[in-house]
């Protein structure tokens, strides 16, 4: 299973873009990159996922490097409610169809 | 929006009790999952189900069982609760199509304390 490496914490000013990096140098060709976040005392919230191309939805953008060894989650205009732990996950291939493995994630603090 | 609803946010039970945790999803998802989350250990998969009446063991099934009688409902059962089962329990669901690349959607969790 491909592992991911994320910085343990980051700060961001309210209203500015938050750029959260993730390294996944051992990712295999058919593995997707997923991002989730978890606000204290709540369940993980799905944000976005991608395979090769950059992706954008109403919450965020996902930029994947051409060699797929790293990616960046971008929250374009961070708000205080975006303060959470953000997890970058490479989807485990195989028959279980879902065994998500969360690492330690990045604790993002959005400050006024 | 996908809605995964867990029956209780907080639950306190006693050692030896049989405990039922309920989860319902409203998006007609085929797959449903039960995880527990503990500090420093991340999420660990207990059981999952890919269809009604079907179940598969995850990484830590000991002491737990599950039931899926209807597509939208997946129950986790602690047969005889023990203090080491004190944890945050998370239910998730996703669609089966796409060979596993569908994102999982989580409920808000049940914080279970066993005294």
């Amino acid at each position: 299973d491909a592992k991911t490496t994320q910085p343990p914490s980051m700060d961001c000013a309210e209203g500015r873009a938050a750029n959260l990096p993730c390294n996944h140098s051992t990712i295999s060709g058919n593995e997707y990159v997923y991002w989730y976040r978890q606000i204290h005392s709540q369940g993980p919230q799905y944000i976005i996922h991608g395979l090769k191309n950059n992706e954008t939805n109403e919450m965020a953008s996902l930029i994947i490097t051409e060699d797929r060894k790293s990616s960046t989650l971008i929250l374009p205009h961070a708000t205080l409610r975006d303060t959470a732990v953000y997890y970058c996950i490479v989807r485990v291939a195989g028959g279980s169809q879902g065994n998500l493995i969360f690492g330690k994630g990045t604790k993002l603090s959005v400050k006024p | 929006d996908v809605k995964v609803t867990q029956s209780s946010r907080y639950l306190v039970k006693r050692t030896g009790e049989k405990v039922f945790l309920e989860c319902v999803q409203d998006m007609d998802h085929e797959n449903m999952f039960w995880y527990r989350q503990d500090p420093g250990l991340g999420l660990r998969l207990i059981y999952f189900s890919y269809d009604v009446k079907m179940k598969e063991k995850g990484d830590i099934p000991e002491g737990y069982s599950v039931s899926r009688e209807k597509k939208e409902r997946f129950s986790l059962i602690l047969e005889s609760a023990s203090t080491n089962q004190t944890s945050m329990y998370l239910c998730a669901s996703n669609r089966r199509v796409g060979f596993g690349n569908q994102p999982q959607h989580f409920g808000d969790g049940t914080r279970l304390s066993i005294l």
Side-chain angles (χ1 to χ4, degrees):
Chain A
D1 301 336
K3 293 184 178 179
T4 63
T5 304
Q6 299 177 254
S9 64
M10 292 181 63
D11 290 341
C12 178
E14 189 178 19
R16 304 297 293 269
N19 297 286
L20 292 94
C22 179
N23 287 320
H24 32 78
S25 58
T26 61
I27 192 171
S28 61
N30 62 349
E31 288 183 310
Y32 287 72
V33 180
Y34 289 81
W35 283 84
Y36 286 79
R37 71 181 182 185
Q38 190 168 21
I39 296 168
H40 183 63
S41 295
Q42 295 183 19
Q45 179 187 23
Y46 164 75
I47 301 173
I48 198 167
H49 74 287
L51 181 63
K52 295 180 183 178
N53 300 321
N54 298 337
E55 301 287 344
T56 295
N57 63 18
E58 66 277 4
M59 289 182 68
S61 295
L62 174 61
I63 309 297
I64 302 174
T65 58
E66 193 169 340
D67 63 7
R68 301 187 72 237
K69 293 185 176 182
S70 66
S71 60
T72 301
L73 178 74
I74 301 172
L75 307 177
H77 305 287
T79 70
L80 299 179
R81 288 180 294 180
D82 291 322
T83 292
V85 179
Y86 287 76
Y87 297 98
C88 168
I89 299 161
V90 173
R91 173 72 174 78
V92 175
S96 74
Q97 290 203 57
N99 193 13
L100 291 178
I101 299 175
F102 282 49
K104 296 188 185 303
T106 296
K107 183 174 172 55
L108 175 69
S109 298
V110 181
K111 300 181 184 301
Chain B
D1 279 354
V2 175
K3 186 70 173 175
V4 179
T5 303
Q6 295 185 230
S7 53
S8 305
R9 289 297 306 275
Y10 301 94
L11 205 54
V12 179
K13 296 291 182 180
R14 296 202 175 275
T15 302
E17 280 193 72
K18 191 168 186 176
V19 181
F20 293 86
L21 302 183
E22 305 286 346
C23 175
V24 176
Q25 50 91 8
D26 66 356
M27 286 302 292
D28 202 37
H29 285 170
E30 293 86 1
N31 299 332
M32 296 188 75
F33 308 85
W34 275 106
Y35 294 88
R36 62 178 283 179
Q37 185 176 32
D38 301 288
L41 296 177
L43 259 67
R44 291 181 291 169
L45 181 65
I46 305 171
Y47 267 97
F48 68 98
S49 168
Y50 53 88
D51 204 349
V52 175
K53 298 191 185 296
M54 304 302 290
K55 61 184 179 184
E56 294 285 343
K57 293 180 179 179
D59 297 322
I60 52 164
E62 295 78 19
Y64 303 95
S65 63
V66 290
S67 173
R68 191 152 180 218
E69 296 297 318
K70 293 184 178 181
K71 190 176 185 179
E72 67 271 19
R73 187 180 297 271
F74 193 34
S75 303
L76 179 70
I77 304 153
L78 285 66
E79 298 291 344
S80 177
S82 64
T83 55
N84 64 9
Q85 292 178 309
T86 290
S87 186
M88 167 77 106
Y89 288 87
L90 291 160
C91 176
S93 71
N94 71 349
R95 290 177 59 82
R96 190 163 64 218
V97 297
F99 301 102
N101 69 334
Q102 297 297 314
Q104 292 184 24
H105 298 271
F106 286 82
D108 278 336
T110 296
R111 192 167 291 281
L112 175 64
S113 296
I114 307 296
L115 305 180

